[in-house]
Amino acid sequence: MRRSIGTTAVVAALALAATACGSDGDEGGGGADGELSGTVTYWDTSNETEAEVFQAVAEDFEEQHPGVTVDYVNIGFDDAQNRFKNAAGANEAPDVMRTEVAWVADFASLGYLYPLDDTAALDDQDDFLDEAWASTQYDGQTWAVPQVTDTLALFYNQALLDEAGVEPPASLAEVEDATAAFEEAGTTPLYVRGDDPYWFLPFLYGEGGDLVDAEAQQVTVDDAAGVAAFEQMQGLIDSGAAITDTSEGWENMMSSFANGDVAMMINGPWAIADATAALGEDLGVAPVPAGGEAQGSPLGGWNYGVYAGTPDADASFEFVKYMAAAETQTRITEELSLLPTRASVYEDPAVQGNEMVQFFKPAVDVAHERPWIPEAQSLFEPLRVSIEAMLTGSAAPDEAASDTGDAYRDLLEDWS
């Protein structure tokens, strides 16, 4: 039976107390003979292509520890954040959750995560990349362990670029300039996600802007750079340089790219397997095209979090340690071309020989770090609404930016 989770203060007190005695082996998860035991329910939020690999890795841990039962559950990404919060509030959360980097501060602020400093989960923590490690920190403590890191890049169909006689564009201006050449080749240059605000961030960073300034507690999405970002996005659509959709964006984008309806799309490492299956050797990857000020792409990725109310803490810690280990990360990289979070893994010959990883790693090194605040994920919904309003013609770019800024100030009390 899970420990009762009442108020945030109670959760924090229980978790901190358990962490303090962690090195003495007092947490649940140890059998009478000292062997690891218990049940680890693991919620995996990976996509269909990735899930098979992550499940196999989780089952391998179970084989190595016969006293531990791993209950693998793939819940998918959609609404996973709220599902975990609802489950934790009802004392029914999984022992381990694959959490998006922006969710960690939210879960930790509510007392739903186990603080992991000085636990077995943090094995060789100095090996983690600084960029990935930053997303695990909140209020001076560590609340998660990095799994994979990512950013966005430009995927292109080399055959269609050759037919149009153009090179991979370095800027959005070059995308627009090549529109006529692509039309003659029977395709549209670019697909723009209009349904998912995460894909708006390269436009915003490309104009030198950001959603908020967390240090100054200031909303910035509606400043001049923010307005320019909305204008850039709308301008691509109006010029015919891009097509978009405000619903079913992932499916439409992937099918349009696979079918040759568009020559390019902005996507992340999670799409490499599907894009390679569709295009084979014609798949190319380049940096996200720059906007009016710079080339910019968001820092993303996934972490492992341990539920504060887990009854089998030892087993959960060891499971996370195994899933985030260098050997495991190497295997995941080999099979899925996802980006490791450990510096040592990039030295492995198999990883060094992976062309996609070698491209994306430098991109991650210079990716734009997002605000690691509890409200970080909540910033996306008002942005999505404003983008939809703009793309459907009910709001001009400056109005979309202003509406987003107003929504942020309602969400972030006392921010300017």
Side-chain angles (χ1 to χ4, degrees):
M1 182 176 181
R2 299 192 184 280
R3 287 201 298 254
S4 176
I5 301 296
T7 65
T8 298
V10 172
V11 175
L14 286 171
L16 288 169
T19 302
C21 65
S23 60
D24 296 327
D26 290 334
E27 296 108 329
D33 57 359
E35 293 295 322
L36 198 66
S37 64
T39 297
V40 176
T41 299
Y42 171 47
W43 277 13
D44 175 31
T45 53
S46 64
N47 63 36
E48 184 177 350
T49 302
E50 300 166 343
E52 183 177 351
V53 174
F54 289 129
Q55 181 173 3
V57 173
E59 290 172 350
D60 284 350
F61 173 83
E62 189 178 49
E63 290 184 8
Q64 294 182 22
H65 300 280
V68 177
T69 298
V70 176
D71 181 12
Y72 173 91
V73 183
N74 183 272
I75 66 168
F77 173 74
D78 291 343
D79 204 36
Q81 182 183 17
N82 288 331
R83 288 184 64 180
F84 180 82
K85 290 164 73 171
N86 291 337
N91 312 327
E92 297 175 351
D95 301 283
V96 178
M97 166 84 164
R98 180 179 183 261
T99 169
E100 209 270 349
V101 290
W103 303 346
V104 173
D106 182 24
F107 294 162
S109 70
L110 296 171
Y112 291 157
L113 294 182
Y114 211 121
L116 299 178
D117 293 297
D118 301 320
T119 71
L122 292 183
D123 183 50
D124 195 13
Q125 67 186 63
D126 291 339
D127 189 33
F128 288 111
L129 302 175
D130 291 342
E131 300 86 357
W133 183 254
S135 68
T136 70
Q137 304 299 296
Y138 174 71
D139 199 25
Q141 291 184 283
T142 304
W143 301 93
V145 177
Q147 183 208 36
V148 296
T149 188
D150 64 52
T151 190
L152 293 172
L154 182 74
F155 286 48
Y156 60 88
N157 184 326
Q158 185 64 63
L160 292 178
L161 265 64
D162 290 345
E163 188 174 352
V166 301
E167 297 294 324
S171 68
L172 295 175
E174 290 183 14
V175 174
E176 288 200 46
D177 290 344
T179 301
F182 279 110
E183 287 179 348
E184 290 181 7
T187 189
T188 300
L190 182 67
Y191 192 99
V192 170
R193 288 287 297 272
D195 67 316
D196 192 324
Y198 184 74
W199 268 256
F200 177 77
L201 296 180
F203 291 97
L204 185 59
Y205 300 153
E207 299 305 320
D210 207 337
L211 298 176
V212 299
D213 182 337
E215 185 175 350
Q217 293 194 330
Q218 182 176 358
V219 174
T220 56
V221 71
D222 53 355
D223 62 13
V227 173
F230 280 95
E231 290 174 342
Q232 275 277 26
M233 187 181 209
Q234 185 66 60
L236 286 171
I237 307 303
D238 291 344
S239 70
I243 59 173
T244 190
D245 203 317
T246 56
S247 64
E248 304 297 331
W250 174 262
E251 292 79 5
N252 293 332
M253 176 176 65
M254 295 302 290
S255 62
S256 295
F257 188 66
N259 296 336
D261 297 328
V262 295
M264 297 174 285
M265 65 176 179
I266 294 173
N267 222 321
W270 55 86
I272 288 175
D274 290 340
T276 300
L279 299 188
E281 294 183 357
D282 281 333
L283 175 64
V285 180
V288 167
E293 295 294 328
Q295 183 274 333
S297 195
L299 183 66
W302 297 88
N303 299 326
Y304 295 110
V306 177
Y307 173 48
T310 178
D312 294 325
D314 278 340
S316 295
F317 296 155
E318 289 295 335
F319 178 76
V320 168
K321 174 182 175 181
Y322 174 81
M323 296 295 285
E327 182 178 353
T328 302
Q329 290 199 16
T330 299
R331 172 183 174 182
I332 289 171
T333 301
E334 287 182 298
E335 297 192 37
L336 296 172
S337 291
L338 298 180
L339 303 183
T341 58
R342 290 186 176 276
S344 63
V345 179
Y346 288 93
E347 302 302 318
D348 188 282
V351 176
Q352 290 185 338
N354 188 309
E355 292 183 2
M356 292 300 174
V357 171
Q358 291 309 309
F359 167 76
F360 270 104
K361 175 55 165 60
V364 167
D365 289 342
V366 297
H368 197 290
E369 191 169 309
R370 292 147 66 192
W372 307 128
I373 58 176
E375 301 87 355
Q377 193 67 22
S378 298
L379 299 177
F380 283 127
E381 180 58 18
L383 181 58
R384 184 198 66 77
V385 171
S386 294
I387 291 171
E388 180 177 357
M390 180 184 70
L391 294 178
T392 56
S394 61
D398 60 336
E399 293 172 327
S402 178
D403 290 344
T404 307
D406 290 343
Y408 284 3
R409 291 182 182 89
D410 288 339
L411 177 67
L412 302 168
E413 296 182 7
D414 300 323
W415 285 45
S416 61

